Coordinates of all heavy atoms in Angstrom, one line a residue:
M5 N -1.8 31.3 12.4 CA -2.1 30.3 11.4 C -3.5 30.5 11.0 O -4.4 30.7 11.8 CB -1.9 28.9 12.1 CG -2.0 27.8 11.1 SD -1.8 26.1 11.8 CE -0.2 26.1 12.4
T6 N -3.8 30.3 9.7 CA -5.1 30.4 9.2 C -6.0 29.2 9.5 O -5.4 28.1 9.9 CB -5.1 30.6 7.6 OG1 -4.6 29.4 7.1 CG2 -4.3 31.8 7.2
T7 N -7.2 29.3 9.4 CA -8.2 28.3 9.7 C -7.9 27.0 8.9 O -8.0 25.9 9.4 CB -9.6 28.8 9.6 OG1 -9.8 29.9 10.4 CG2 -10.6 27.7 10.0
I8 N -7.7 27.2 7.6 CA -7.5 26.0 6.7 C -6.2 25.3 7.1 O -6.2 24.0 7.2 CB -7.4 26.4 5.2 CG1 -7.5 25.2 4.4 CG2 -6.2 27.2 4.9 CD1 -8.8 24.6 4.3
F9 N -5.1 26.0 7.5 CA -3.9 25.3 8.0 C -4.1 24.7 9.3 O -3.6 23.6 9.6 CB -2.7 26.3 8.0 CG -2.2 26.7 6.7 CD1 -2.2 28.0 6.2 CD2 -1.7 25.7 5.8 CE1 -1.7 28.3 5.0 CE2 -1.2 26.0 4.6 CZ -1.2 27.3 4.1
E10 N -4.9 25.2 10.2 CA -5.3 24.6 11.4 C -6.0 23.3 11.2 O -5.8 22.3 11.8 CB -6.1 25.5 12.3 CG -5.3 26.7 12.9 CD -6.2 27.7 13.5 OE1 -7.4 27.6 13.6 OE2 -5.6 28.7 14.1
A11 N -7.0 23.3 10.2 CA -7.7 22.1 9.9 C -6.8 21.0 9.3 O -6.9 19.8 9.7 CB -8.8 22.4 8.9
I12 N -5.9 21.4 8.5 CA -4.9 20.4 7.9 C -4.1 19.9 9.0 O -3.8 18.6 9.1 CB -4.1 21.1 6.8 CG1 -4.9 21.4 5.6 CG2 -2.9 20.2 6.4 CD1 -4.3 22.4 4.6
A13 N -3.6 20.7 10.0 CA -2.8 20.2 11.1 C -3.6 19.2 11.9 O -3.0 18.2 12.4 CB -2.4 21.4 11.9
V14 N -4.9 19.5 12.1 CA -5.7 18.5 12.9 C -5.8 17.2 12.2 O -5.7 16.1 12.8 CB -7.1 19.1 13.2 CG1 -8.1 18.0 13.7 CG2 -7.0 20.3 14.2
L15 N -6.0 17.2 10.9 CA -6.1 16.0 10.1 C -4.8 15.2 10.2 O -4.8 14.0 10.3 CB -6.5 16.3 8.6 CG -7.9 16.9 8.4 CD1 -8.0 17.3 6.9 CD2 -8.9 15.9 8.8
R16 N -3.7 15.9 10.1 CA -2.4 15.3 10.2 C -2.2 14.6 11.6 O -1.7 13.5 11.7 CB -1.3 16.3 9.9 CG 0.1 15.6 9.9 CD 0.2 14.8 8.6 NE 1.0 13.6 8.9 CZ 1.5 12.9 7.9 NH1 1.5 13.2 6.6 NH2 2.1 11.8 8.2
C17 N -2.6 15.4 12.6 CA -2.5 14.9 14.0 C -3.3 13.6 14.2 O -2.8 12.7 14.8 CB -2.9 15.9 15.0 SG -1.6 17.1 15.3
I18 N -4.5 13.6 13.7 CA -5.3 12.4 13.8 C -4.7 11.2 13.1 O -4.6 10.1 13.6 CB -6.8 12.7 13.3 CG1 -7.4 13.7 14.3 CG2 -7.6 11.4 13.2 CD1 -8.8 14.2 13.8
F19 N -4.2 11.4 11.9 CA -3.6 10.4 11.1 C -2.4 9.8 11.9 O -2.3 8.6 12.1 CB -3.1 10.9 9.8 CG -2.4 9.9 8.9 CD1 -3.1 9.1 8.1 CD2 -1.0 9.7 9.0 CE1 -2.4 8.1 7.3 CE2 -0.3 8.8 8.2 CZ -1.1 8.0 7.4
D20 N -1.6 10.7 12.4 CA -0.4 10.3 13.2 C -0.7 9.6 14.5 O 0.1 8.8 14.9 CB 0.5 11.5 13.4 CG 1.2 12.1 12.2 OD1 1.2 11.4 11.2 OD2 1.6 13.3 12.2
Q21 N -1.8 10.0 15.1 CA -2.2 9.4 16.3 C -2.5 7.9 16.1 O -2.3 7.1 17.0 CB -3.5 10.1 16.8 CG -4.1 9.5 18.1 CD -5.4 10.2 18.5 OE1 -5.6 11.3 18.0 NE2 -6.2 9.6 19.3
Y22 N -3.0 7.5 15.0 CA -3.4 6.1 14.7 C -2.3 5.3 13.9 O -2.3 4.1 14.0 CB -4.7 6.0 14.0 CG -5.9 6.5 14.9 CD1 -6.2 7.8 15.0 CD2 -6.5 5.6 15.8 CE1 -7.2 8.2 15.9 CE2 -7.5 6.0 16.6 CZ -7.9 7.3 16.7 OH -8.8 7.7 17.5
A23 N -1.5 6.0 13.1 CA -0.6 5.3 12.3 C 0.6 4.8 13.1 O 1.0 5.4 14.1 CB -0.1 6.3 11.2
G24 N 1.2 3.7 12.6 CA 2.4 3.2 13.2 C 2.3 2.3 14.4 O 3.2 1.8 14.9
K25 N 1.1 2.0 14.9 CA 0.9 1.2 16.0 C 1.2 -0.3 15.7 O 1.6 -1.1 16.5 CB -0.5 1.3 16.6 CG -0.8 2.7 17.0 CD -1.9 2.7 18.1 CE -2.4 4.0 18.5 NZ -1.4 4.9 19.0
E26 N 1.1 -0.6 14.4 CA 1.4 -2.0 13.9 C 2.5 -2.1 12.9 O 2.8 -3.1 12.4 CB 0.1 -2.6 13.3 CG -1.0 -2.8 14.2 CD -2.1 -3.6 13.6 OE1 -2.4 -3.4 12.4 OE2 -2.7 -4.4 14.2
G27 N 3.0 -0.9 12.5 CA 4.1 -1.0 11.5 C 4.6 0.4 11.2 O 4.9 1.2 12.2
D28 N 4.6 0.8 10.0 CA 5.2 2.1 9.5 C 4.4 3.2 10.1 O 3.1 3.3 9.9 CB 5.2 2.1 8.0 CG 5.9 3.3 7.4 OD1 6.2 4.2 8.1 OD2 6.1 3.3 6.2
A29 N 5.0 4.2 10.7 CA 4.4 5.4 11.2 C 3.8 6.3 10.1 O 3.1 7.3 10.4 CB 5.3 6.2 12.1
K30 N 4.1 6.0 8.9 CA 3.6 6.9 7.8 C 2.4 6.3 7.1 O 1.9 6.8 6.1 CB 4.7 7.1 6.8 CG 5.9 7.9 7.3 CD 7.0 8.0 6.3 CE 8.2 8.7 6.9 NZ 9.3 8.8 6.0
T31 N 1.9 5.1 7.6 CA 0.8 4.5 7.0 C -0.2 3.9 8.0 O 0.2 3.8 9.2 CB 1.2 3.3 6.1 OG1 1.9 2.3 6.9 CG2 2.1 3.8 4.9
L32 N -1.4 3.7 7.6 CA -2.4 3.0 8.5 C -2.7 1.6 8.0 O -2.9 1.4 6.8 CB -3.7 3.8 8.4 CG -3.7 5.2 9.0 CD1 -4.9 6.0 8.5 CD2 -3.7 5.2 10.5
T33 N -2.6 0.7 8.9 CA -3.0 -0.7 8.5 C -4.5 -0.8 8.5 O -5.2 0.1 9.0 CB -2.5 -1.7 9.5 OG1 -3.0 -1.5 10.8 CG2 -0.9 -1.6 9.6
K34 N -5.1 -1.9 8.1 CA -6.5 -2.2 8.2 C -7.0 -2.0 9.6 O -8.1 -1.4 9.8 CB -6.8 -3.6 7.6 CG -8.3 -3.8 7.4 CD -8.6 -5.2 6.9 CE -7.9 -5.5 5.6 NZ -8.2 -6.8 5.1
K35 N -6.3 -2.6 10.6 CA -6.8 -2.5 12.0 C -6.7 -1.0 12.4 O -7.6 -0.6 13.1 CB -5.9 -3.4 12.8 CG -6.3 -3.4 14.3 CD -5.4 -4.3 15.1 CE -5.8 -4.3 16.6 NZ -5.0 -5.2 17.4
E36 N -5.7 -0.3 12.1 CA -5.5 1.1 12.5 C -6.6 2.0 11.9 O -7.2 2.8 12.6 CB -4.1 1.6 12.1 CG -3.0 1.0 12.9 CD -1.6 1.2 12.3 OE1 -1.5 1.7 11.2 OE2 -0.7 1.0 13.1
I37 N -6.9 1.8 10.6 CA -8.0 2.6 10.0 C -9.3 2.3 10.6 O -10.2 3.2 10.8 CB -8.0 2.6 8.5 CG1 -8.8 3.7 7.8 CG2 -8.5 1.3 7.9 CD1 -8.2 5.0 7.8
T38 N -9.6 1.0 10.9 CA -10.8 0.6 11.5 C -11.0 1.2 12.9 O -12.0 1.8 13.2 CB -10.9 -0.9 11.6 OG1 -10.8 -1.5 10.3 CG2 -12.2 -1.4 12.2
T39 N -9.9 1.2 13.7 CA -9.9 1.9 15.0 C -10.2 3.4 14.8 O -11.0 3.9 15.6 CB -8.6 1.6 15.7 OG1 -8.4 0.2 15.9 CG2 -8.6 2.3 17.1
L40 N -9.5 4.0 13.9 CA -9.7 5.4 13.7 C -11.2 5.7 13.4 O -11.7 6.7 13.9 CB -8.8 5.9 12.5 CG -8.8 7.4 12.2 CD1 -7.5 7.8 11.5 CD2 -9.9 7.8 11.2
L41 N -11.8 5.0 12.5 CA -13.2 5.2 12.1 C -14.1 5.0 13.3 O -15.0 5.8 13.5 CB -13.6 4.3 11.0 CG -12.9 4.5 9.6 CD1 -13.2 3.4 8.6 CD2 -13.3 5.9 9.1
K42 N -13.8 3.9 14.1 CA -14.7 3.7 15.2 C -14.6 4.8 16.2 O -15.6 5.2 16.8 CB -14.3 2.3 15.9 CG -14.8 1.1 15.1 CD -14.4 -0.2 15.8 CE -14.8 -1.4 15.0 NZ -14.4 -2.6 15.6
E43 N -13.4 5.3 16.5 CA -13.2 6.3 17.5 C -13.5 7.7 17.1 O -14.1 8.5 17.8 CB -11.8 6.2 18.1 CG -11.5 4.9 18.9 CD -10.1 4.7 19.4 OE1 -9.3 5.7 19.2 OE2 -9.8 3.7 20.0
Q44 N -13.1 8.0 15.9 CA -13.3 9.4 15.4 C -14.7 9.7 14.8 O -15.2 10.8 14.8 CB -12.2 9.8 14.4 CG -10.8 9.8 15.0 CD -10.7 10.9 16.1 OE1 -11.2 12.0 15.9 NE2 -10.0 10.6 17.2
L45 N -15.2 8.7 14.1 CA -16.5 8.8 13.4 C -17.6 8.0 14.1 O -18.7 8.0 13.6 CB -16.4 8.4 12.0 CG -15.4 9.2 11.1 CD1 -15.3 8.6 9.7 CD2 -15.7 10.7 11.1
K46 N -17.3 7.4 15.2 CA -18.3 6.6 16.0 C -19.0 5.6 15.1 O -20.1 5.3 15.2 CB -19.4 7.5 16.6 CG -18.8 8.6 17.4 CD -18.0 8.1 18.6 CE -17.5 9.3 19.4 NZ -16.2 9.0 20.0
G47 N -18.2 5.0 14.2 CA -18.7 3.9 13.4 C -17.6 3.4 12.4 O -16.7 4.1 12.1
A48 N -17.8 2.2 12.0 CA -16.9 1.6 11.0 C -17.7 0.6 10.3 O -18.8 0.1 10.8 CB -15.7 1.0 11.6
P49 N -17.2 0.1 9.1 CA -17.9 -1.0 8.5 C -18.1 -2.1 9.5 O -17.2 -2.4 10.3 CB -16.9 -1.4 7.4 CG -16.2 -0.1 7.1 CD -16.0 0.6 8.4
G50 N -19.2 -2.8 9.4 CA -19.6 -3.8 10.4 C -18.8 -5.1 10.4 O -18.0 -5.3 11.3
N51 N -19.1 -6.0 9.5 CA -18.4 -7.3 9.5 C -17.1 -7.3 8.8 O -16.7 -6.3 8.1 CB -19.4 -8.3 8.9 CG -19.8 -8.1 7.5 OD1 -18.9 -7.7 6.7 ND2 -21.0 -8.3 7.2
Q52 N -16.4 -8.4 8.9 CA -15.0 -8.4 8.3 C -15.1 -8.2 6.8 O -14.2 -7.5 6.2 CB -14.4 -9.7 8.6 CG -12.9 -9.8 8.3 CD -12.1 -8.7 9.0 OE1 -12.2 -8.5 10.2 NE2 -11.2 -8.0 8.3
A53 N -16.1 -8.7 6.1 CA -16.2 -8.6 4.6 C -16.3 -7.1 4.3 O -15.7 -6.6 3.3 CB -17.3 -9.4 4.1
E54 N -17.1 -6.4 5.0 CA -17.3 -4.9 4.8 C -16.0 -4.2 5.1 O -15.7 -3.2 4.3 CB -18.5 -4.4 5.7 CG -19.8 -4.9 5.2 CD -20.9 -4.4 6.2 OE1 -20.6 -4.2 7.4 OE2 -22.1 -4.4 5.8
I55 N -15.4 -4.5 6.1 CA -14.1 -3.9 6.5 C -13.1 -4.1 5.4 O -12.4 -3.2 4.9 CB -13.5 -4.4 7.8 CG1 -14.4 -3.9 9.0 CG2 -12.1 -3.9 8.0 CD1 -14.2 -4.5 10.3
D56 N -13.0 -5.3 4.9 CA -12.1 -5.7 3.8 C -12.4 -4.9 2.5 O -11.5 -4.3 1.9 CB -12.1 -7.2 3.5 CG -11.5 -8.0 4.6 OD1 -10.8 -7.5 5.5 OD2 -11.8 -9.2 4.6
E57 N -13.6 -4.8 2.2 CA -14.0 -4.1 1.0 C -13.8 -2.6 1.1 O -13.2 -1.9 0.2 CB -15.5 -4.3 0.7 CG -16.0 -3.7 -0.6 CD -15.3 -4.2 -1.9 OE1 -14.9 -5.4 -1.9 OE2 -15.2 -3.5 -2.8
F58 N -14.1 -2.0 2.3 CA -13.8 -0.6 2.5 C -12.3 -0.3 2.4 O -11.9 0.7 1.8 CB -14.4 -0.2 3.9 CG -14.3 1.3 4.2 CD1 -15.2 2.2 3.5 CD2 -13.4 1.8 5.1 CE1 -15.2 3.5 3.8 CE2 -13.4 3.1 5.3 CZ -14.2 4.0 4.7
F59 N -11.5 -1.1 3.1 CA -10.1 -0.9 3.0 C -9.5 -1.0 1.6 O -8.7 -0.2 1.2 CB -9.4 -2.0 4.0 CG -7.9 -1.7 4.1 CD1 -7.5 -0.8 5.1 CD2 -7.0 -2.4 3.4 CE1 -6.2 -0.5 5.3 CE2 -5.6 -2.1 3.6 CZ -5.2 -1.2 4.5
K60 N -10.0 -1.9 0.9 CA -9.6 -2.1 -0.5 C -9.9 -0.8 -1.3 O -9.1 -0.4 -2.2 CB -10.3 -3.3 -1.1 CG -9.9 -3.7 -2.5 CD -10.6 -4.9 -3.0 CE -10.2 -5.2 -4.4 NZ -11.0 -6.4 -5.0
M61 N -11.0 -0.2 -1.1 CA -11.4 1.0 -1.8 C -10.4 2.2 -1.4 O -10.0 3.0 -2.2 CB -12.8 1.5 -1.5 CG -13.9 0.6 -2.1 SD -15.6 1.2 -1.9 CE -15.7 1.7 -0.2
L62 N -10.0 2.2 -0.1 CA -9.1 3.3 0.4 C -7.7 3.1 -0.1 O -7.0 4.0 -0.4 CB -9.1 3.3 1.9 CG -10.3 3.8 2.6 CD1 -10.2 3.7 4.1 CD2 -10.6 5.3 2.2
D63 N -7.3 1.8 -0.2 CA -5.9 1.5 -0.6 C -5.8 1.6 -2.1 O -5.7 0.6 -2.8 CB -5.6 0.1 0.0 CG -4.1 -0.3 -0.3 OD1 -3.3 0.6 -0.6 OD2 -3.9 -1.5 -0.2
D64 N -5.7 2.8 -2.6 CA -5.7 3.0 -4.0 C -4.6 2.4 -4.8 O -4.8 1.9 -5.9 CB -5.7 4.5 -4.3 CG -6.0 4.9 -5.7 OD1 -7.0 4.4 -6.3 OD2 -5.2 5.7 -6.3
D65 N -3.4 2.3 -4.2 CA -2.3 1.8 -4.9 C -2.1 0.3 -4.6 O -1.2 -0.4 -5.1 CB -1.0 2.5 -4.6 CG -0.6 2.5 -3.1 OD1 -1.3 1.8 -2.3 OD2 0.4 3.3 -2.8
G66 N -2.9 -0.3 -3.8 CA -2.9 -1.7 -3.5 C -1.7 -2.3 -2.7 O -1.4 -3.4 -2.8
D67 N -1.0 -1.4 -2.0 CA 0.1 -1.8 -1.2 C -0.2 -2.4 0.2 O 0.7 -2.7 0.9 CB 1.2 -0.7 -1.1 CG 0.7 0.5 -0.3 OD1 -0.5 0.5 0.1 OD2 1.5 1.4 -0.1
G68 N -1.4 -2.5 0.5 CA -1.8 -3.1 1.8 C -1.9 -2.2 3.0 O -2.2 -2.6 4.1
V69 N -1.7 -0.9 2.7 CA -1.8 0.1 3.8 C -2.4 1.4 3.2 O -2.4 1.5 2.0 CB -0.4 0.4 4.4 CG1 0.1 -0.7 5.2 CG2 0.6 0.9 3.4
V70 N -2.9 2.2 4.1 CA -3.4 3.5 3.7 C -2.4 4.6 4.1 O -2.1 4.8 5.2 CB -4.8 3.8 4.3 CG1 -5.3 5.2 4.1 CG2 -5.8 2.7 3.9
D71 N -1.9 5.3 3.1 CA -1.0 6.4 3.4 C -1.7 7.7 3.6 O -3.0 7.7 3.5 CB 0.1 6.5 2.3 CG -0.5 6.9 0.9 OD1 -1.6 7.5 0.8 OD2 0.2 6.6 -0.1
F72 N -1.0 8.8 3.8 CA -1.7 10.0 4.2 C -2.5 10.5 3.0 O -3.7 11.0 3.2 CB -0.7 11.1 4.6 CG -1.4 12.4 5.1 CD1 -2.0 12.4 6.3 CD2 -1.3 13.5 4.4 CE1 -2.6 13.5 6.8 CE2 -1.9 14.7 4.8 CZ -2.6 14.7 6.0
N73 N -2.0 10.4 1.8 CA -2.8 10.8 0.6 C -4.1 10.1 0.4 O -5.1 10.7 0.1 CB -2.0 10.7 -0.7 CG -0.8 11.7 -0.7 OD1 -0.8 12.7 -0.1 ND2 0.2 11.4 -1.5
E74 N -4.1 8.8 0.7 CA -5.3 8.0 0.6 C -6.3 8.3 1.7 O -7.5 8.3 1.5 CB -4.9 6.5 0.6 CG -4.2 6.0 -0.6 CD -3.5 4.7 -0.5 OE1 -3.0 4.3 0.6 OE2 -3.3 4.0 -1.5
Y75 N -5.7 8.6 2.9 CA -6.5 9.1 4.0 C -7.2 10.4 3.7 O -8.4 10.6 4.0 CB -5.6 9.2 5.2 CG -6.1 10.0 6.4 CD1 -7.1 9.5 7.3 CD2 -5.6 11.3 6.7 CE1 -7.5 10.2 8.4 CE2 -6.0 12.0 7.8 CZ -7.0 11.5 8.6 OH -7.4 12.2 9.7
I76 N -6.5 11.3 3.1 CA -7.1 12.6 2.7 C -8.2 12.4 1.7 O -9.2 13.2 1.8 CB -6.0 13.6 2.2 CG1 -5.1 14.0 3.4 CG2 -6.6 14.8 1.5 CD1 -5.9 14.7 4.5
V77 N -8.2 11.5 0.8 CA -9.3 11.2 -0.1 C -10.5 10.8 0.7 O -11.6 11.2 0.4 CB -8.9 10.1 -1.1 CG1 -10.1 9.6 -1.9 CG2 -7.8 10.6 -2.1
L78 N -10.3 10.0 1.7 CA -11.4 9.6 2.6 C -12.0 10.8 3.3 O -13.3 11.0 3.2 CB -11.0 8.6 3.7 CG -11.9 8.4 4.8 CD1 -13.2 7.7 4.4 CD2 -11.3 7.6 5.9
V79 N -11.2 11.7 3.8 CA -11.6 12.9 4.5 C -12.4 13.8 3.5 O -13.4 14.4 3.9 CB -10.5 13.6 5.2 CG1 -10.9 15.0 5.8 CG2 -9.9 12.8 6.3
A80 N -11.8 14.0 2.4 CA -12.5 14.9 1.3 C -13.8 14.3 0.9 O -14.8 15.0 0.8 CB -11.6 15.0 0.1
S81 N -13.9 13.0 0.8 CA -15.2 12.3 0.5 C -16.2 12.6 1.5 O -17.4 12.9 1.3 CB -15.0 10.8 0.2 OG -14.1 10.6 -0.8
L82 N -15.8 12.5 2.8 CA -16.7 12.7 3.9 C -17.2 14.2 3.9 O -18.3 14.5 4.2 CB -16.0 12.4 5.2 CG -15.8 10.9 5.5 CD1 -14.9 10.7 6.7 CD2 -17.1 10.1 5.6
A83 N -16.2 15.1 3.6 CA -16.6 16.5 3.6 C -17.6 16.8 2.5 O -18.6 17.6 2.7 CB -15.3 17.3 3.4
M84 N -17.5 16.1 1.4 CA -18.4 16.3 0.3 C -19.8 15.8 0.6 O -20.8 16.3 0.3 CB -17.9 15.7 -1.0 CG -16.7 16.4 -1.6 SD -15.9 15.6 -3.0 CE -17.2 15.6 -4.1
M85 N -19.8 14.7 1.4 CA -21.1 14.1 1.8 C -21.8 15.0 2.8 O -23.0 15.1 2.8 CB -20.9 12.7 2.4 CG -20.5 11.7 1.4 SD -20.0 10.1 2.2 CE -21.0 9.9 3.6
L86 N -21.1 15.8 3.5 CA -21.7 16.7 4.5 C -22.0 18.1 4.0 O -22.7 18.8 4.6 CB -20.7 16.9 5.7 CG -20.4 15.6 6.5 CD1 -19.3 15.9 7.6 CD2 -21.7 15.1 7.2
A87 N -21.5 18.4 2.8 CA -21.8 19.7 2.2 C -23.3 19.8 1.9 O -24.0 18.9 1.5 CB -21.0 19.8 0.9
P88 N -23.8 21.1 2.1 CA -25.2 21.3 1.9 C -25.6 21.3 0.4 O -24.9 21.4 -0.4 CB -25.4 22.7 2.5 CG -24.1 23.3 2.7 CD -23.1 22.2 2.6

């Protein structure tokens, strides 16, 4: 397997590790994405208002959950922020 496919597999594994604890295994709830951020990135938006605003930005289609495509947008944004 190539490095890029390995990276994609890791991203999928992390998503799957957190998704479905409160509902659909194909999506992340607000609580699940907050837990993911706290554990994987050692931080998350601080107060409830910040969490709500951040989640609203991630939930592009407004269905109340973050699907894998919306999660990948977050990951891509983080990668762009880390680029030299």
Side-chain angles (χ1 to χ4, degrees):
M5 186 181 301
T6 65
T7 304
I8 192 76
F9 284 121
E10 290 171 358
I12 292 167
V14 168
L15 292 174
R16 185 72 218 199
C17 279
I18 292 171
F19 180 89
D20 291 344
Q21 178 182 342
Y22 291 89
K25 298 204 185 307
E26 294 188 322
D28 187 351
K30 295 178 183 175
T31 61
L32 295 163
T33 63
K34 190 182 301 183
K35 183 177 179 182
E36 291 166 345
I37 194 79
T38 301
T39 301
L40 184 153
L41 292 172
K42 284 181 180 175
E43 292 179 4
Q44 294 295 320
L45 300 176
K46 305 301 181 213
N51 61 43
Q52 191 61 46
E54 290 173 337
I55 292 169
D56 292 344
E57 185 61 31
F58 186 74
F59 188 81
K60 185 178 175 184
M61 289 186 319
L62 288 177
D63 182 18
D64 191 49
D65 61 7
D67 64 354
V69 291
V70 173
D71 62 24
F72 188 72
N73 290 339
E74 292 164 330
Y75 163 76
I76 289 300
V77 171
L78 166 65
V79 173
S81 298
L82 292 171
M84 290 174 61
M85 289 173 31
L86 296 173

